Amino acid sequence: MAAWSELLAGVRGVLLDISGVLYDGGEGGGAAITGSVEAVARLKRSRLKVRFCTNESQKSRADLVGLLQRLGFDVSESEVTAPAPAACLILKQRGLRPHLLVHDGVRSEFDQIDTSNPNCVVIADAGEDFSYQNMNKAFQVLMELENPVLFSLGKGRYYKETSGLMLDVGPYMKALEYACGIEAEVVGKPSPEFFKSALQEMGVEAHEAQR
Amino acid sequence: MAAWSELLAGVRGVLLDISGVLYDGGEGGGAAITGSVEAVARLKRSRLKVRFCTNESQKSRADLVGLLQRLGFDVSESEVTAPAPAACLILKQRGLRPHLLVHDGVRSEFDQIDTSNPNCVVIADAGEDFSYQNMNKAFQVLMELENPVLFSLGKGRYYKETSGLMLDVGPYMKALEYACGIEAEVVGKPSPEFFKSALQEMGVEAHEAQR
């Protein structure tokens, strides 16, 4: 087995996932995964640049970072790359006004975005808010557009909570794609653009990074 | 343009769709489409065999036929081929016990089916019952099975009501397919087996039928 020093030769930065890597979600906010608080601290003491790259789309970065700090992690909001802020950037660049089908916990990320007279739809892991009525509304907005544009914050199939497996945003993305005969634009992992933006924010080239 | 007599040469039976062909659904049950009541009556007076073939999966055949009769149509329950009874036949043949994610209006069609300790999932156009909780339950049932089997009563994208476009069962079928990494078995149109069973019930070969 290669030594760590060998594996890390030429590596200048590390992208860390959050959910399922640093902590497991669940009742009361969740729990840090054993050893992860110290691992982050060691990385930050090393010569490596560190950035957190998550598909979390139920919480704002502020709420997520608050939770991680309470669990003991050394992390700040400016170190987190998340799909909602990335989507806001795209919406502004392309002059798009979204109809939002998102969890209330992440809505504040879109505070600066014009949502009047929508000309696209943004969906995220909305949990219980994926009601028939809300899905049908998003569908109707898309069908009324000449060029329906759908953004999906991630495309995960499901995730695990203490209460069991939970449907993620991906299945609902597929539902709207099929209903409207369109293909969604995924903002978040595994989109290469999303990883690139995280590396840019870290000031590291792709070949210099390890995740 | 060919004369009707020419087009119908060799045709012994006619399969008629119901929703959007005989009547349009909506508030108060819906309304007969102009000319359709008389058209059905004329077909029944002709030498042609007539059968009704629908993907309606929100109502039982009894409720559907009651509605059509009130609108003036000459139709009886035994003349209707619908996905729910076809699914019941398959479930019995294969010894399957379904978890049902269906509209309350069609649940009576499954009265004779054992739904204890489910080893498959049946979804139909459930309307408002396509809540996150109900979808997640169907998903969890499938994920707990060694060989997940999902039946979808039809795979329509959407249908039109007086209040606007409404998501049909198809998008929700796609959602569960993606979440579980499986392919659903469609019971209803456009499945060839479904059309064949309608023809069998009518006593007509495929090449002798016109729909």
Side-chain angles (χ1 to χ4, degrees):
Chain A
M1 198 177 144
W4 274 105
S5 56
E6 199 176 311
L7 280 171
L8 290 174
V11 169
R12 286 184 47 221
V14 178
L15 284 183
L16 292 175
D17 197 350
I18 297 179
S19 305
V21 172
L22 301 190
Y23 87 112
D24 277 327
E27 288 297 312
I33 292 171
T34 312
S36 61
V37 170
E38 175 52 21
V40 169
R42 279 186 62 191
L43 278 171
K44 287 204 153 188
R45 284 196 303 268
S46 78
R47 61 169 181 83
L48 295 165
K49 293 186 181 182
V50 177
R51 195 164 176 87
F52 303 89
C53 188
T54 178
N55 261 11
E56 172 63 54
S57 69
Q58 275 206 358
K59 294 183 190 72
S60 67
R61 275 173 305 172
D63 288 347
L64 182 60
V65 163
L67 168 66
L68 291 173
Q69 289 174 343
R70 281 194 298 281
L71 295 175
F73 290 99
D74 173 12
V75 55
S76 68
E77 211 175 316
S78 64
E79 295 172 307
V80 174
T81 299
C88 288
L89 206 63
I90 295 171
L91 294 169
K92 281 179 188 165
Q93 283 167 348
R94 290 165 54 180
L96 292 169
R97 301 176 305 277
H99 170 83
L100 298 172
L101 174 43
V102 302
H103 197 279
D104 277 344
V106 80
R107 207 168 282 271
S108 63
E109 294 277 15
F110 297 90
D111 275 352
Q112 303 306 314
I113 298 291
D114 179 8
T115 56
S116 66
N117 188 23
N119 55 9
C120 72
V121 167
V122 171
I123 62 170
D125 174 16
E128 298 279 340
D129 288 331
F130 276 134
S131 64
Y132 180 77
Q133 202 179 9
N134 287 348
M135 278 292 283
N136 210 51
K137 177 64 191 170
F139 162 68
Q140 288 175 343
V141 169
L142 286 167
M143 292 297 274
E144 277 162 21
L145 297 173
E146 203 176 332
N147 295 307
V149 176
L150 171 64
F151 293 100
S152 182
L153 303 196
K155 60 172 190 175
R157 292 163 185 254
Y158 58 88
Y159 52 90
K160 202 174 176 176
E161 291 217 331
T162 42
S163 56
L165 299 182
M166 308 294 283
L167 287 170
D168 200 346
V169 65
Y172 288 93
M173 175 191 85
K174 289 289 174 187
L176 289 176
E177 284 185 338
Y178 178 73
C180 303
I182 60 174
E183 198 169 330
E185 299 182 32
V186 178
V187 181
K189 296 179 278 186
S191 149
E193 288 75 22
F194 189 68
F195 284 118
K196 274 181 211 156
S197 68
L199 294 177
Q200 268 173 5
E201 289 157 341
M202 191 161 55
V204 164
E205 298 290 319
H207 69 272
E208 301 173 321
Q210 182 82 24
R211 73 180 168 97
Chain B
M1 197 179 144
W4 275 105
S5 57
E6 200 174 312
L7 280 172
L8 291 175
V11 170
R12 284 183 47 220
V14 178
L15 285 183
L16 292 174
D17 197 350
I18 297 179
S19 305
V21 172
L22 299 190
Y23 87 112
D24 277 328
E27 290 297 314
I33 291 171
T34 312
S36 62
V37 170
E38 175 51 21
V40 170
R42 278 185 63 191
L43 279 170
K44 288 203 153 186
R45 285 195 304 267
S46 78
R47 62 172 180 81
L48 295 165
K49 294 187 181 182
V50 176
R51 194 162 177 89
F52 303 89
C53 187
T54 179
N55 262 13
E56 171 64 53
S57 69
Q58 275 206 357
K59 294 182 189 74
S60 67
R61 275 173 306 175
D63 289 347
L64 181 61
V65 163
L67 168 65
L68 291 173
Q69 288 173 343
R70 281 193 299 282
L71 295 176
F73 290 99
D74 173 13
V75 55
S76 68
E77 212 176 316
S78 64
E79 295 172 306
V80 175
T81 300
C88 289
L89 206 64
I90 295 170
L91 294 168
K92 281 180 189 165
Q93 283 167 349
R94 289 164 57 179
L96 292 169
R97 300 175 307 276
H99 169 81
L100 298 172
L101 174 43
V102 302
H103 196 279
D104 277 344
V106 80
R107 207 167 283 272
S108 63
E109 294 278 15
F110 296 89
D111 275 352
Q112 304 305 314
I113 299 290
D114 179 7
T115 56
S116 65
N117 188 24
N119 56 8
C120 73
V121 168
V122 171
I123 63 170
D125 174 16
E128 299 279 339
D129 288 331
F130 276 132
S131 64
Y132 180 77
Q133 202 180 6
N134 287 347
M135 278 291 284
N136 211 50
K137 177 64 191 170
F139 162 67
Q140 288 175 343
V141 169
L142 286 168
M143 292 296 275
E144 278 162 19
L145 297 173
E146 202 177 334
N147 295 307
V149 176
L150 170 63
F151 293 99
S152 182
L153 304 196
K155 60 173 191 174
R157 292 163 186 253
Y158 58 86
Y159 52 89
K160 201 173 178 180
E161 289 217 332
T162 43
S163 57
L165 299 183
M166 308 294 284
L167 287 169
D168 200 347
V169 65
Y172 289 93
M173 174 191 86
K174 289 288 173 187
L176 290 175
E177 284 186 340
Y178 178 74
C180 304
I182 60 173
E183 198 169 329
E185 299 183 32
V186 177
V187 181
K189 297 179 277 184
S191 150
E193 288 75 20
F194 189 68
F195 284 118
K196 274 182 212 155
S197 68
L199 294 177
Q200 267 173 7
E201 288 158 341
M202 191 161 54
V204 164
E205 299 290 320
H207 69 273
E208 301 172 322
Q210 182 82 21
R211 70 178 169 100

